[in-house]
Amino acid sequence: MDVKLLEYMIAIADCGNITKAAESLFITQSGLNQQLIRLENELNTQLFYRTKRHLHLTQAGKIYIDNAREILKIKKNTYTTIQDLTDGTVGEISFGIPFEHGVDMFIYISPEFNKKYPGVTVHLAERTVHQQQLMVTSGQLDMAFIMLNEKDKIDNEYIRLCKERLILGVPMTHPLAKYASPPGQLPPTLSLSQLKGEKFALMFPGSTMRGVIDPLFEAAGFRPDILFETTMNQALCRLVSQGLCCTILPQSYARDREKVAWFYLSGDPFWEWNITYSKTSVLSKAARYMIQLAGRYAKELERHWESHGTGLPEHMI
């Protein structure tokens, strides 16, 4: 069986389009199409239903792609195990990260990681938590750094790094801002029901964070008047600092305490930082070291939050 052919078919399945798959593989569209036709003739069955713009897997196609992913995973596990018998200082890691959070963490740990494993290339993929989990399951990612709670987990392995609160931010011009603590002190607690009628900027619908936030408004007895929705926590913080609205975001992004008043919320909503990987995957020495560094990073932040409540230590910014 040609392993390269497996990769070709997986690319078609993931892209749902011959042209896009060919571009991702850096081969010609006609060459990829010929490979597909030749394979279907060999199997004497159709792997994809073809429409004008999209290709959908047939039942046979799904069987082929599922097993193709497993074969490639076995190949990768084999290579990883053999490389670890030596010094494990060369190789690749495909690492999923969420928007913003993951970049901050990866940049901070990269110098130490690169010092120990200079020959290991890390391929970063910024995706939503849901996308990352599916990519880990399918073998498209070796592992992923994600924020979620127990109800959001699927049938993968999870290594808990730390707990992070989601906290409320209001403009300094708001009447409730006078109850905020000064910078360097832990925020006081406020009931979300006191913000009924206010405008909010929140993370985008369907995000893991909204899965935590939306029930808070329901419990507070009102639907938020949403002014903005975004993928960027930094944007949420800046919108509040401009006096445009209130927000709820992770405490690591609760910054600019001179322009934003921050409050813990009643009920103490939170999510957990995790590294996730497939139950059938073998992690390399380098991948395990990256997890170790991520754990140190998370624990340092937890210590900072216990004493300051918000933001990042200066040396991490």
Side-chain angles (χ1 to χ4, degrees), residues 77-98:
N77 287 344
T78 302
Y79 278 53
T80 297
T81 303
I82 291 173
Q83 287 170 351
D84 279 354
L85 290 176
T86 57
D87 54 14
T89 56
V90 296
E92 298 182 348
I93 298 173
S94 54
F95 189 33
I97 57 174

Side-chain angles (χ1 to χ4, degrees), residues 14 45 47 52 57 88 119-120 123 127 131 142 165 176-177 180 199 202 211 235 246 249 258 278 283 288 291 296 312:
D14 289 341
T45 190
L47 298 179
K52 192 170 184 179
L57 287 169
V120 174
H123 303 282
R127 298 289 190 276
Q131 290 170 332
D142 294 320
R165 286 184 170 96
L176 291 173
K199 295 187 182 297
L202 299 173
C246 304
L249 46 65
E258 294 181 357
S278 170
L283 294 180
R288 294 195 297 272
I291 293 173
R296 290 181 193 170
L312 301 174

Side-chain angles (χ1 to χ4, degrees), residues 144-184:
F145 172 51
I146 56 178
M147 287 76 179
L148 78 175
N149 283 325
E150 196 67 32
K151 65 180 178 62
D152 301 307
K153 293 180 180 179
I154 61 176
D155 193 27
N156 288 328
E157 295 288 349
Y158 294 86
I159 299 174
R160 182 187 181 279
L161 302 179
C162 73
K163 165 185 168 180
E164 181 179 23
R165 286 184 170 96
L166 301 183
I167 67 175
L168 171 71
V170 302
M172 277 299 182
T173 54
H174 193 282
L176 291 173
K178 63 184 178 182
Y179 299 109
S181 300

